[in-house]
Amino acid sequence: MTGTYHNALILPVTGEVPWFWGWLSVDEDGRISGMGEGAPPADAPLPHHDLDGCFLAPGFVSAHSHIYTGGMRGVAPNSPLYEWVSLNGRMLLGAEIDDIYWMTLAGGLDHLASGITSVYNFTQSRVISQFDYEQSVLKAARVHPAEFVTAQVDGLDASGIRFVTSVRLDDEQLDETDAFAGFDAVMAHLETVHPDRNLGGSVYGAVQWSSSPATAERERALMDRYGITNQAHFVETAEQIEIQQAKFDWYDAAGVLGPGFAFGHFVHPTEEMVARVRETGSAVVWQPMSNGRLGSGIADVPRLLRDSITVGMGVDDQSCTDVSDPFENMRTGLFLQRGKHSDPALLTPSDVLALHTIGSASAIGVADRVGSLEVGKFADLLVVDPRSPHLGPIWDPVATYVLACGLRNLRTVIVGGSPVWDRDLTDPVRERADHELTERMITSAAQCGIHPADHTRRNADAHRSV
């Protein structure tokens, strides 16, 4: 959709200035075709949209999300990582292919409504696993066909968000031939997604839960076969930390470290691990809200940035962050770091805004297309109104945007120049997806004896309606 947005307080994230009053135009391909200070030029594309002083900023990028998890908010509220993830797995044992589609569609729409326009999505594996604490590995509890994963691709595609699809190989839970065939099927299915929404495939790194270096070698083979990236959850929690740290060498020996590799979380690395990440140009993706919620720890992000390591941010699971809110995620990360180090200048609002936009895009290999307002990139934009509710005078635009704005100020979410969410409009697709998510999640969890708090009331209402 062509057009020009003007009379806006623009936050480009990259470039020579942190903000300016001006305009931004979008071409027929949904990309940014021009931008500048002051009034738009006479030949700026029509129609013109007067933003009346609102912020115009790039859509957030979540470099680490598990999109399907919105039906499990509030579960295991006082549990650490492994207890929490095991409960999640049990609750999904009853989920079928259609169920995971609706869960994913609802999650994609929820991310968009939170201002996230691009996401790195860890798909739920077709193998529903349980964590074996004694052996520190995942063990299969139920196995689905590859369509269980391709249905998640279809759900995100239907939501309208841009996405990287991360797929776990499950080489220790499945026959090796079956594991590779399932991965190949998902990569082939990605070809059915419009290339503007499909930001690529990726390996869901699983060495943290494997028992052999062979997993790292197989993941490297997939990266080479498809020319794709890899992101691995690593040293996220202090539980079994020696076991986790020891597996780092498996990745290093397999040669997977490099610009196409990212460590998710990276809360408890050794000095040697940080050095190798820096030397190889690998990235780190930070989830401050989920790390805090699960008691996993506080990643030393300022130190990583001092070492010039690429760092992005993600909102992680809706079931351990509980809200897919990048504004809250930025503030949580900022305040945790300042409090931990007793230094209010250690990390700035500009820093965390960059981490959740261009930093995230860089960490997952899509910074050429999204993450900042630059000519030629996708016109993925947020219109944020600092007067509704009113935030008072704007002394420092970036500080106001990061420290004072939130989802209550988000007015419009635009992907490729087209509005995909507006706070003043109802979305029947979102309403249906939320309903389907709720009912299907309840049915799935009930198969292992887990019921919502209003289970008795719901049963009574159903009985009366018969």
Side-chain angles (χ1 to χ4, degrees):
M1 178 184 293
T2 62
T4 301
Y5 299 90
H6 66 101
N7 193 17
L9 208 167
I10 296 177
L11 308 180
V13 176
T14 58
E16 296 180 357
V17 296
W19 62 272
F20 61 89
W21 286 99
W23 59 276
L24 179 147
S25 59
V26 181
D27 65 20
E28 293 181 351
D29 294 326
R31 294 178 181 266
I32 299 171
S33 58
M35 54 193 296
E37 296 189 44
D43 61 351
L46 297 173
H48 286 190
H49 307 280
D50 186 346
L51 296 186
D52 191 28
C54 287
F55 288 106
L56 188 64
F60 288 104
V61 180
S62 176
H64 186 115
S65 284
H66 300 254
I67 286 279
Y68 62 90
T69 57
M72 294 181 282
R73 291 182 172 95
V75 303
N78 307 311
S79 295
L81 174 67
Y82 294 134
E83 287 182 6
W84 164 84
V85 78
S86 293
L87 178 59
N88 275 220
R90 291 198 301 275
M91 293 176 72
L92 284 171
L93 282 173
E96 305 296 342
I97 292 171
D98 285 349
D99 301 327
I100 203 72
Y101 168 86
W102 284 105
M103 293 173 187
T104 304
L105 174 56
L109 294 171
D110 185 64
H111 272 53
L112 283 170
S114 300
I116 299 168
T117 53
S118 295
V119 63
Y120 182 101
N121 179 42
F122 290 96
T123 57
Q124 168 55 52
S125 168
R126 66 190 183 106
V127 179
I128 309 296
S129 298
Q130 292 286 285
F131 182 72
D132 185 322
Y133 196 89
E134 295 300 321
Q135 299 183 38
S136 194
V137 297
L138 293 177
K139 291 191 174 179
R142 185 181 180 191
V143 179
H144 291 276
E147 286 78 11
F148 194 76
V149 181
T150 59
Q152 296 172 65
V153 173
D154 293 340
L156 272 196
D157 189 15
S159 77
I161 200 170
R162 303 191 201 280
F163 57 100
V164 175
T165 300
S166 185
V167 183
R168 200 169 72 203
L169 181 59
D170 296 309
D171 60 313
E172 291 194 340
Q173 291 79 33
L174 300 170
D175 171 85
E176 185 173 347
T177 300
D178 186 15
F180 275 91
F183 194 99
D184 293 342
V186 180
M187 293 300 107
H189 191 74
L190 285 176
E191 298 298 320
T192 68
V193 178
H194 193 285
D196 285 355
R197 286 189 296 279
N198 175 21
L199 296 179
S202 187
V203 178
Y204 181 155
V207 161
Q208 177 179 350
W209 303 290
S210 65
S211 62
S212 163
T215 296
E217 296 162 5
R218 291 164 183 150
E219 289 181 9
R220 173 60 189 268
L222 289 171
M223 294 170 68
D224 292 343
R225 177 186 301 182
Y226 290 104
I228 56 178
T229 62
N230 187 335
Q231 185 177 157
H233 295 66
F234 223 80
V235 290
E236 176 179 354
T237 176
E239 294 180 272
Q240 301 189 345
I241 190 59
E242 294 83 5
I243 296 174
Q244 294 182 62
Q245 291 171 343
K247 294 179 181 180
F248 179 87
D249 290 340
W250 298 357
Y251 269 136
D252 204 0
V256 301
L257 302 186
F261 190 92
F263 286 104
H265 299 288
F266 216 56
V267 178
H268 302 281
T270 64
E271 290 295 321
E272 293 75 15
M273 291 165 65
V274 174
R276 286 299 291 153
V277 167
R278 181 185 66 249
E279 292 163 3
T280 58
S282 303
V284 172
V285 184
W286 179 33
Q287 287 66 245
M289 286 180 69
S290 72
N291 292 160
R293 203 267 216 189
L294 295 170
S296 297
I298 303 173
D300 195 352
V301 169
R303 184 268 175 89
L304 300 176
L305 295 175
R306 287 196 299 272
D307 281 354
S308 298
I309 291 172
T310 297
V311 179
M313 295 181 74
V315 296
D316 209 354
D317 293 65
Q318 293 155 300
S319 56
C320 68
T321 301
D322 300 286
V323 288
S324 305
D325 183 347
F327 289 101
E328 188 172 349
N329 205 36
M330 287 191 297
R331 286 192 285 269
T332 297
L334 180 66
F335 300 160
L336 283 173
Q337 295 297 339
R338 289 179 171 189
K340 176 181 179 181
H341 297 280
S342 299
D343 184 354
L346 185 72
L347 206 61
T348 70
S350 292
D351 291 334
V352 291
L353 177 58
L355 291 180
H356 225 325
T357 51
I358 191 63
S360 291
S362 299
I364 61 175
V366 297
D368 58 327
R369 289 164 281 176
V370 300
S372 60
L373 303 185
E374 299 179 71
V375 172
K377 287 192 176 183
F378 287 123
D380 297 347
L381 316 168
L382 304 184
V383 178
V384 176
D385 189 349
R387 294 185 303 274
S388 180
H390 201 282
L391 302 179
I394 299 174
W395 310 108
D396 179 330
V398 175
T400 295
Y401 188 77
V402 172
L403 299 178
C405 289
L407 297 186
R408 63 182 187 160
N409 300 100
L410 184 61
R411 193 168 92 184
T412 309
V413 178
I414 297 161
V415 175
S418 298
V420 296
W421 179 86
D422 189 292
R423 71 179 181 187
D424 296 326
L425 301 175
T426 59
D427 182 356
V429 176
R430 174 74 188 274
E431 290 179 351
R432 182 183 176 192
D434 287 344
H435 171 76
E436 295 283 355
L437 162 73
T438 300
E439 298 305 315
R440 292 168 183 272
M441 190 68 247
I442 289 172
T443 300
S444 176
Q447 294 198 29
C448 62
I450 300 173
H451 302 286
D454 62 350
H455 175 62
T456 302
R457 179 189 62 79
R458 291 172 63 91
N459 283 346
D461 289 346
H463 180 73
R464 284 194 297 269
S465 66
V466 174

